[in-house]
């Protein structure tokens, strides 16, 4: 990861030097780059999911019309399901496939922490799991996080079941380094200040493989925002970092 980070950074610096030498067109400086970098992200299947309550708690009294399909993962805190999000406007059977992470009542703190981290709009990046919304399902005493669904599953399973070429490995490693670099960074791709975030549970089962064989980071249950208000005591009391790498 460090190697890929260095390669990525070197390329970026070289590009910036080259850009700074290019004559600038009036009114089209950094702003254009920014809008390019901040363009709405598309799902793997190309559908634009930005319309769906991006980075918000679903404040509607009615929960979203979601039909759970099969369970695709089970961790210590929650269960993850592939699900169908029905399109409210269409009368037909149109739906968007999403992932739903369901926390039981006892794991409220973990849900809240992950929701708060995902709710930071600056977290959005191609190599960070695309968050849609969070819901409190009080009737069933459950807490939900609704995100993009990645059918290839986590990196651990993917590497166990598939042979990867050097080219694929480069794509997986490079994209992973980009995701971690964005997470840790104190500025966005547009150069705006951003709160650095530490994941604190980085392992192959918390990394998803996207359709184009790039990675995205998931499971921010133990994540921590390193904002200015954080005191040494907060840091010390912010939960234990698990030491099981696989
Ligand atoms: N968006 C998704 N698309 C496809 N699979 C997913 C998605 N999110 C999670 N999964 C699957 O579910 C598993 C568990 O998810 P996650 O790590 O978020 O739960 P957890 O309960 O916090 O896990 P743990 O605490 O054991 O790390 C992942 O390893 C992955 O296999
Ligand atoms: Mg996990």
């Amino acid at each position: 990861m460090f190697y890929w980070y260095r390669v990525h950074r070197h390329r970026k610096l070289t590009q910036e030097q080259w850009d700074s030498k290019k004559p600038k067109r009036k009114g089209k400086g950094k702003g254009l780059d920014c809008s390019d970098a901040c363009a709405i992200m598309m799902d793997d299947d190309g559908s634009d999911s930005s319309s769906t309550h991006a980075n918000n708690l679903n404040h509607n009294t009615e929960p979203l019309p979601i039909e759970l399909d099969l369970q695709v993962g089970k961790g210590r805190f929650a269960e993850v399901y592939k699900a169908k999000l029905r399109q409210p406007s269409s009368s037909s059977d149109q739906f968007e496939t999403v992932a739903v992470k369901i926390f039981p009542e006892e794991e409220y703190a973990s849900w809240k922490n992950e929701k708060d981290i995902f709710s930071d709009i600056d977290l959005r990046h191609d190599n960070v799991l695309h968050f849609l919304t969070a819901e409190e399902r009080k009737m069933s005493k459950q807490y939900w996080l609704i995100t993009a669904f990645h059918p290839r599953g986590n990196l651990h399973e993917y590497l166990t079941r598939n042979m990867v070429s050097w080219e694929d490995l480069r794509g997986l490693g490079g994209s992973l380094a980009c995701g971690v670099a964005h997470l840790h960074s104190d500025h966005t791709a547009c150069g705006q200040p951003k709160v650095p975030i530490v994941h604190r549970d980085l392992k192959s089962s918390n990394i998803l493989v996207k359709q184009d064989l790039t990675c995205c980071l998931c499971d921010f249950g133990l994540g921590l925002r390193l904002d200015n208000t954080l005191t040494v005591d907060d840091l010390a009391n912010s939960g234990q970092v698990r030491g099981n790498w696989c």
Side-chain angles (χ1 to χ4, degrees):
M1 280 169 56
F2 181 68
Y3 170 76
W4 286 115
Y5 173 72
R6 290 298 300 268
V7 170
H8 174 75
R9 198 171 155 71
H10 177 72
R11 278 201 199 130
K12 206 174 156 205
L13 288 174
T14 317
Q15 180 69 37
E16 277 169 4
Q17 278 165 5
W18 190 81
D19 283 347
S20 66
K21 283 179 195 152
K22 277 197 298 186
K24 292 224 172 6
R25 273 193 282 168
K26 213 178 172 189
K28 291 195 175 183
K30 273 200 150 188
L32 183 69
D33 297 336
C34 170
S35 60
D36 284 347
C38 299
I40 294 170
M41 278 186 289
M42 307 289 271
D43 278 354
D44 287 339
D45 61 4
S47 65
D48 174 7
S49 54
S50 64
S51 57
T52 321
H53 305 268
N55 295 340
N56 267 316
L57 181 65
N58 178 19
H59 290 293
N60 294 335
T61 43
E62 285 298 310
L64 288 174
I66 289 179
E67 190 185 311
L68 297 182
D69 204 338
L70 41 122
Q71 187 176 318
V72 292
K74 181 170 166 54
R76 275 159 291 178
F77 299 100
E79 292 175 351
V80 181
Y81 289 83
K82 178 184 178 190
K84 288 175 184 156
L85 171 60
R86 300 259 169 227
Q87 300 297 337
S89 50
S90 65
S91 52
S92 65
D93 261 0
Q94 277 191 328
F95 62 86
E96 188 180 338
T97 302
V98 292
V100 181
K101 184 169 176 179
I102 303 181
F103 297 74
E105 208 178 11
E106 315 81 80
E107 301 300 348
Y108 171 82
S110 192
W111 171 81
K112 179 154 187 329
N113 192 53
E114 192 159 3
K115 170 185 82 70
D116 288 348
I117 290 199
F118 268 134
S119 298
D120 183 348
I121 195 94
D122 293 334
L123 185 62
R124 289 177 71 121
H125 188 269
D126 275 346
N127 306 116
V128 174
L129 178 61
H130 187 178
F131 173 65
L132 298 174
T133 190
E135 284 187 351
E136 301 185 37
R137 298 246 169 172
K138 288 195 173 131
M139 295 287 278
S140 49
K141 296 186 175 165
Q142 290 176 340
Y143 295 91
W144 288 20
L145 292 178
I146 301 152
T147 63
F149 176 71
H150 297 292
R152 290 189 196 266
N154 70 48
L155 183 63
H156 178 78
E157 290 163 356
Y158 187 79
L159 293 178
T160 310
R161 293 177 192 153
N162 298 277
M163 288 284 285
V164 288
S165 65
W166 281 109
E167 191 58 27
D168 294 344
L169 195 59
R170 193 162 65 98
L172 291 165
S175 58
L176 176 55
C178 287
V180 176
H182 174 70
L183 198 67
H184 291 180
S185 179
D186 59 3
H187 60 271
T188 64
C190 323
Q192 302 296 325
K194 154 188 175 297
V195 175
I197 295 170
V198 281
H199 188 285
R200 308 198 311 157
D201 197 14
L202 207 50
K203 55 184 178 180
S204 52
S205 63
N206 287 339
I207 297 162
L208 299 172
V209 179
K210 302 208 308 183
Q211 212 57 23
D212 61 357
L213 281 193
T214 58
C215 290
C216 69
L217 303 171
C218 74
D219 192 358
F220 291 89
L222 270 186
L224 188 64
R225 287 165 58 80
L226 301 180
D227 59 21
N228 292 338
T229 60
L230 201 70
T231 64
V232 175
D233 283 346
D234 290 336
L235 202 56
N237 298 325
S238 59
Q240 202 180 359
V241 180
R242 299 174 223 158
N244 54 333
W245 284 68
C246 57

